Amino acid sequence: MTVQPMQPFRRRAGSFVALALAALVTVSCGRSDQGGTSGGTAPAAAGKSATELLPADLKKKGVLRVATAVGYPPMEMYKPGTTELTGVDPDLARAVANRLGLRLELTNAAFDGLIPGLKSGRFDLVMSSMTDSPERRKAVDFVDYFRTGGVIMTKKGNPEGIKTLEDLCGKAVVLAKGSSNLAIGQEQNTRCGKKMRISQSEDAPTGLLQIDSGRAVATIVDYPVAAMFVKEKGTYEALPEQYGTAPWGIAVGKDRSGLRDAVQRALQDLIDDGGYRKVLDSYGVGGSAVPKATVNDGT
């Protein structure tokens, strides 16, 4: 099923309350639909290793400074009861730094301050579930490493037998206010003969409460977040198809093409040797894996 392009801006349109075992998390990546054109997928300099591509100033410093914004599990979060950063992005950052032969210095920062911090030279990279969008590419380059969208969630066992967006027609569906997932549902509803009964929740967890109580039979949630709920709660089911998918990228300053190419090479090496997929699978988000590390591939 194809949906119309979504607003090409990432996360975070709103916030959602904590799971019983998770800290405060925020929700909703604004996403663009999957496009067929490539913004620049040329591989890093052929024949050179990641460390050979690394700029001399970083080799001399021996440190890779990466910023992330905690609050979007399982992508970026704290280990329970600690201030230690963990999740898909921190783990990939450690793997990339290791490939580059650098010590990782990982910093938590406000999401809105990530790109300004990168441009000011405070950080070398940003890894924080950031959509590769045309607007952001005016300020930074992206090495794309993840492609994701919204998935349909139901009670475990999928008692209504829902398989596609079309199957939501005529049913009670709850969607988070202001999210790209709300737009996906509303777009589908324009094509429904028998309309959905759409209610809007403050966030993903409160929407799931409506499913628990039987007031709704399905919702649409960002794939990584859905994977977390399925894993941690055990009472929901997430369907495999993703809607409104878009690439997320590692942001690099536009004046640092050497670092960009080195990171692309390091990431591709991790894809090729299975280390990348191992990280994603450990958080249950292998369905958003990409086969190639591309540059500025968003639409």
Side-chain angles (χ1 to χ4, degrees):
M1 177 66 203
T2 300
V3 297
Q4 294 301 308
M6 309 305 301
Q7 291 299 314
F9 297 98
R10 178 230 188 242
R11 90 192 243 201
R12 306 174 172 175
S15 62
F16 54 64
V17 295
L19 285 170
L21 46 78
L24 182 71
V25 292
T26 51
V27 72
S28 200
C29 304
R31 295 182 297 269
S32 60
D33 201 359
Q34 187 167 6
T37 59
S38 170
T41 59
K48 291 189 176 181
S49 69
T51 53
E52 289 171 335
L53 290 166
L54 192 65
D57 63 321
L58 279 175
K59 288 182 181 177
K60 183 177 180 181
K61 291 178 181 176
V63 176
L64 184 66
R65 301 167 302 165
V66 178
T68 193
V70 163
Y72 197 66
M75 301 303 293
E76 303 93 24
M77 53 193 173
Y78 286 124
K79 286 186 176 179
T82 76
T83 57
E84 183 179 352
L85 292 164
T86 189
V88 176
D89 284 331
D91 285 8
L92 282 180
R94 292 184 184 95
V96 168
N98 186 55
R99 283 281 177 176
L100 295 173
L102 300 175
R103 178 174 61 83
L104 177 65
E105 185 177 289
L106 191 58
T107 300
N108 179 42
F111 188 80
D112 290 349
L114 293 177
I115 287 181
L118 191 69
K119 290 176 67 67
S120 70
R122 184 180 171 197
F123 317 122
D124 299 310
L125 303 174
V126 166
M127 296 182 68
S128 194
S129 308
M130 185 173 282
T131 299
D132 173 352
S133 70
E135 186 66 26
R136 291 195 177 109
R137 286 199 300 276
K138 294 177 183 176
V140 299
D141 283 337
F142 286 102
V143 178
D144 297 318
Y145 69 104
F146 199 80
R147 191 168 194 99
T148 197
V151 295
I152 297 171
M153 289 188 71
T154 70
K155 279 187 177 180
K156 188 174 182 179
N158 191 6
E160 298 288 329
I162 296 167
K163 296 180 180 176
T164 67
L165 281 177
E166 289 90 337
D167 293 336
L168 298 179
C169 296
K171 293 184 170 60
V173 177
V174 58
L175 300 165
K177 290 178 181 176
S179 69
S180 53
N181 296 314
L182 173 63
I184 290 171
Q186 291 175 327
E187 173 68 23
Q188 172 58 40
N189 211 23
T190 64
R191 295 189 287 270
C192 288
K194 187 176 182 180
K195 299 300 182 184
M196 302 178 201
R197 301 184 300 281
I198 295 177
S199 59
Q200 297 188 28
S201 61
E202 291 297 325
D203 45 46
T206 55
L208 290 171
L209 291 176
Q210 292 196 33
I211 293 179
D212 294 342
S213 67
R215 286 178 289 161
V217 299
T219 184
I220 303 172
V221 176
D222 290 351
Y223 166 71
V225 178
M228 179 191 67
F229 278 115
V230 170
K231 180 180 179 181
E232 302 293 354
K233 302 290 284 187
T235 56
Y236 305 111
E237 183 166 328
L239 304 190
E241 186 169 356
Q242 298 185 39
Y243 302 94
T245 60
W248 290 356
I250 301 169
V252 191
K254 281 193 167 294
D255 60 345
R256 307 203 70 183
S257 59
L259 175 58
R260 179 200 65 201
D261 291 347
V263 169
Q264 183 192 15
R265 180 71 266 168
L267 183 61
Q268 188 60 54
D269 288 345
L270 288 166
I271 292 172
D272 294 342
D273 73 9
Y276 159 83
R277 185 59 188 251
K278 185 177 180 180
V279 170
L280 268 60
D281 285 344
S282 70
Y283 292 97
V285 295
S288 283
V290 296
K292 294 291 182 183
T294 56
V295 172
N296 294 332
D297 208 19
T299 57

